[in-house]
Amino acid sequence: MEYGKASFLKGRISVCRQNFFSRLFKERIFGKCDSCFFSAGATGALIADPYSAAPRGPSRMAASRLPILLAVAFSSLSCILSHSNREMWFQDLFPPNTCPINAKANTFYGIMFDAGSTGTRIHIYTFVQKSPEKLIELEGEIFESVKPGLSAYADQPEKGAETVKRLLDMAIDAVPPHLWKKTPVVLKATAGLRLLSEEKAQALLLEVREVFEESPFLVPEDSVSILDGSYEGILAWITVNFLTGQLSGQNQHTVGTLDLGGASTQITFLPRFEETLKQTPGDFLTSFEMFNSTYKLYTHSYLGFGLKAARLATLGALDMEAVGGQMFRSSCLPKQLEAEWHFGGVKYQYGGNKQGETGFKPCYLEVLKVIKGKLHQPDEIRGSSFYAFSYYYDRAVDTNLIDYEEGGVLEVRDFERKAKEVCDNMERYNSASPFLCMDLTYITALLKEGFGFRDSTLLQLTKKVNNIETSWTLGATFHLLQSLGITY
Ligand SMILES: O=c1[nH]cnc2c1ncn2[C@@H]1O[C@H](COP(=O)(O)OP(=O)(O)O)[C@@H](O)[C@H]1O
Ligand SMILES: [Ca+2]
């Protein structure tokens, strides 16, 4: 995939003032770029699950008071501002403040759907161009999600497409009517659909395509598809490194990214050593050009190694044929537990080891069977720091390792410490998810035994960077705008 000579990036990208009020989904966000400071108008209770289908108040995007201006100076991306009232590890990397004051804006939108294995999400990005010769700005993002994901509708594709339509109605509300025809809409599905049969996946995609065709938006060719796993990693890497200003200027200190989804997991980084390139299998390396630079990235997507797929693998239930009323037991679950769990449209019965062992040690051994020897371990990453998001973030929040809004920096050993604490005291964590012990143990084993990270490896747990979701969707939107020749 070529990302190079990104003419649409000949612009300034900024994230400016956001005001909020509710309409559809009780929520609608206006972007107004007349200041470089987030004026977080509304504040309120934090919401525990950022991706639930339930409507939420305006506080969700309002809590960050991080003022930002990310800029692309004609054909080379550069970040020209970041003030922060809190410590961020990339803080020093932002050059000094410059702030556009001309508020007369020409606004563009891009709509990107992420059809993930556990939910479907809409990202509506707003870009502003103040005059043809001026730099373009990424003004903000409107984000909403529904659960479950499309793959849960494998046998009811029309119902699945209906969930997409509900989210798309939100875009109809957010994008001004005179821009509908110029606003591209795209859906990319990830591991949930990759795991379905070709026939079922295509039926779902076809229904979604019909929803798009009936909408007033610009529907590009190939607007509904399954995203290749390696692009999922690359596009998330672009998003994070773009938002943190790492793709600009001479001194690029790009950061590696770790995404832990429900059904697959990705690792992506820019190798620094020739040795790494030599030792890496060819299909783990992908070259692309962006912001006038060529990057040869190490990236791999492990299908079936997402958090929820790993639960099934640990329980020995990954092979769906074998399900038929069987009870799957694990030492990672509370002893007396017997329950049902739905994933990917399939019902599983699972429970604790009533007679046998429970706790961290036996659980770790169980989980190791799923991981040991299955992942490539690049030497170079052992001492590097990585950005980690998705379920790494969620489980760290669930166990108070990090704050929901702020995120934070953890060492790999923090996950292990927490896993031990939870697994060896399951009765104390009864009210939390019964899978908490298994999930934390899996994350620990994945990081240490899977990828080969050190106990002391630093992880920057991040849900949003500069108030934009850390998701592959922003990278995908850049690519979309470029391929459509929507230049700025
Ligand atoms: O836009 C986003 N920003 C941050 N995290 C996200 C976003 N979208 C999904 N996630 C996280 O991804 C995880 C679910 O993975 P997903 O459903 O995408 O599975 P998949 O990637 O295996 O298809 C959850 O932890 C959810 O919080
Ligand atoms: Ca995902």
Side-chain angles (χ1 to χ4, degrees):
M1 182 165 49
E2 279 278 307
Y3 292 89
K5 307 277 180 258
S7 49
F8 69 92
L9 287 165
K10 289 179 181 173
R12 172 179 296 158
I13 298 198
S14 73
V15 185
C16 297
R17 174 177 293 183
Q18 312 265 352
N19 295 315
F20 308 87
F21 90 108
S22 100
R23 200 160 155 189
L24 196 78
F25 282 92
K26 301 278 176 287
E27 178 170 323
R28 154 109 190 239
I29 299 152
F30 281 92
K32 193 160 177 277
C33 186
D34 55 3
S35 161
C36 279
F37 290 83
F38 273 103
S39 78
T43 54
L46 303 182
I47 292 101
D49 178 0
Y51 301 106
S52 78
R56 296 189 295 273
S59 59
R60 184 171 48 111
M61 290 184 66
S64 169
R65 290 172 185 274
L66 180 66
I68 305 144
L69 180 66
L70 298 172
V72 184
F74 295 98
S75 82
S76 97
L77 173 68
S78 69
C79 171
I80 61 172
L81 158 76
S82 178
H83 282 314
S84 177
N85 57 6
R86 62 190 161 109
E87 281 276 308
M88 300 191 84
W89 73 338
F90 48 80
Q91 191 171 28
D92 295 337
L93 298 165
F94 288 95
N97 180 3
T98 313
C99 185
I101 38 171
N102 178 4
K104 187 111 183 78
N106 186 6
T107 304
F108 302 78
Y109 294 84
I111 305 168
M112 184 62 63
F113 279 90
D114 166 8
S117 65
T118 67
T120 303
R121 305 125 199 156
I122 187 171
H123 299 253
I124 307 166
Y125 296 105
T126 311
F127 303 90
V128 173
Q129 185 175 31
K130 293 185 177 154
S131 66
E133 72 284 356
K134 278 247 171 92
L135 309 176
I136 199 73
E137 300 167 7
L138 166 62
E139 194 179 62
E141 176 192 34
I142 298 172
F143 173 77
E144 193 50 84
S145 66
V146 291
K147 280 182 177 176
L150 275 187
S151 48
Y153 301 95
D155 297 318
Q156 305 158 287
E158 281 175 30
K159 265 187 113 178
E162 181 56 35
T163 64
V164 173
K165 182 166 184 326
R166 270 166 43 211
L167 290 172
L168 194 57
D169 285 345
M170 191 177 177
I172 288 176
D173 200 46
V175 179
H178 72 281
L179 290 176
W180 286 348
K181 280 219 149 14
K182 288 184 182 167
T183 301
V185 59
V186 162
L187 175 141
K188 293 188 185 295
T190 54
L193 258 67
R194 281 182 211 134
L195 287 169
L196 286 185
S197 69
E198 169 81 11
E199 195 190 338
K200 290 189 175 182
Q202 288 308 322
L204 279 161
L205 297 179
L206 201 71
E207 289 295 335
V208 172
R209 170 102 202 176
E210 275 181 26
V211 167
F212 283 5
E213 298 286 4
E214 284 162 14
S215 83
F217 297 111
L218 174 65
V219 184
E221 221 175 286
D222 205 22
S223 62
V224 180
S225 62
I226 296 178
L227 179 62
D228 183 281
S230 58
Y231 293 155
E232 195 176 350
I234 290 173
L235 296 170
W237 184 90
I238 289 171
T239 299
V240 169
N241 284 284
F242 170 78
L243 289 173
T244 55
Q246 302 306 321
L247 298 183
S248 61
Q250 297 298 308
N251 297 320
Q252 300 185 356
H253 299 286
T254 60
V255 282
T257 51
L258 296 168
D259 186 349
L260 180 58
S264 71
T265 188
Q266 292 79 40
I267 176 169
T268 309
F269 67 97
L270 182 67
R272 283 182 297 148
F273 305 121
E274 201 52 38
E275 208 46 37
T276 307
L277 297 175
K278 279 193 207 140
Q279 288 169 357
T280 301
D283 56 347
F284 282 57
L285 296 170
T286 308
S287 286
F288 75 98
E289 204 189 324
M290 196 169 214
F291 313 133
N292 286 341
S293 298
T294 301
Y295 299 96
K296 193 168 199 178
L297 290 182
Y298 176 110
T299 187
H300 196 74
S301 179
Y302 293 94
L303 188 58
F305 287 79
L307 191 74
K308 298 202 166 174
R311 288 179 184 174
L312 294 181
T314 306
L315 288 165
L318 197 55
D319 178 4
M320 297 190 185
E321 305 299 312
V323 172
Q326 202 179 328
M327 172 69 81
F328 297 99
R329 297 192 178 275
S330 165
S331 62
C332 307
L333 295 167
K335 249 186 192 338
Q336 301 305 324
L337 178 81
E338 285 194 352
E340 281 181 354
W341 183 51
H342 293 256
F343 185 63
V346 181
K347 186 172 77 179
Y348 301 90
Q349 287 175 293
Y350 66 96
N353 268 351
K354 267 206 171 90
Q355 317 298 339
E357 284 185 299
T358 52
F360 179 75
K361 263 193 187 153
C363 176
Y364 199 74
L365 291 176
E366 252 183 64
V367 166
L368 266 192
K369 286 188 207 144
V370 174
I371 289 169
K372 201 82 183 151
K374 306 267 178 58
L375 287 84
H376 181 249
Q377 300 191 339
D379 287 342
E380 189 182 317
I381 64 166
R382 291 174 55 76
S384 319
S385 313
F386 270 68
Y387 264 72
F389 33 89
S390 304
Y391 278 121
Y392 294 113
Y393 191 94
D394 297 351
R395 288 301 167 269
V397 169
D398 294 344
T399 50
N400 295 322
L401 282 169
I402 56 167
D403 176 76
Y404 166 73
E405 280 296 332
E406 301 285 315
V409 181
L410 293 180
E411 289 181 344
V412 165
R413 71 173 117 238
D414 293 323
F415 276 114
E416 179 161 359
R417 181 175 46 81
K418 205 43 115 170
K420 284 180 179 157
E421 188 184 314
V422 172
C423 294
D424 293 339
N425 299 282
M426 281 201 234
E427 56 305 331
R428 240 206 284 152
Y429 289 88
N430 249 352
S431 55
S433 158
F435 284 107
L436 196 56
C437 159
M438 190 186 284
D439 289 353
L440 289 167
T441 305
Y442 177 68
I443 287 174
T444 304
L446 179 66
L447 292 169
K448 288 177 58 161
E449 312 285 342
F451 298 128
F453 286 113
R454 288 195 187 120
D455 284 333
S456 58
T457 299
L458 288 179
L459 302 173
Q460 169 80 39
L461 279 291
T462 309
K463 180 164 59 73
K464 290 182 183 185
V465 177
N466 300 336
N467 224 28
I468 303 286
E469 298 285 328
T470 46
S471 161
W472 54 262
T473 50
L474 179 61
T477 304
F478 287 156
H479 182 239
L480 169 68
L481 296 178
Q482 178 184 317
S483 66
L484 290 174
I486 299 176
T487 58
Y488 300 99

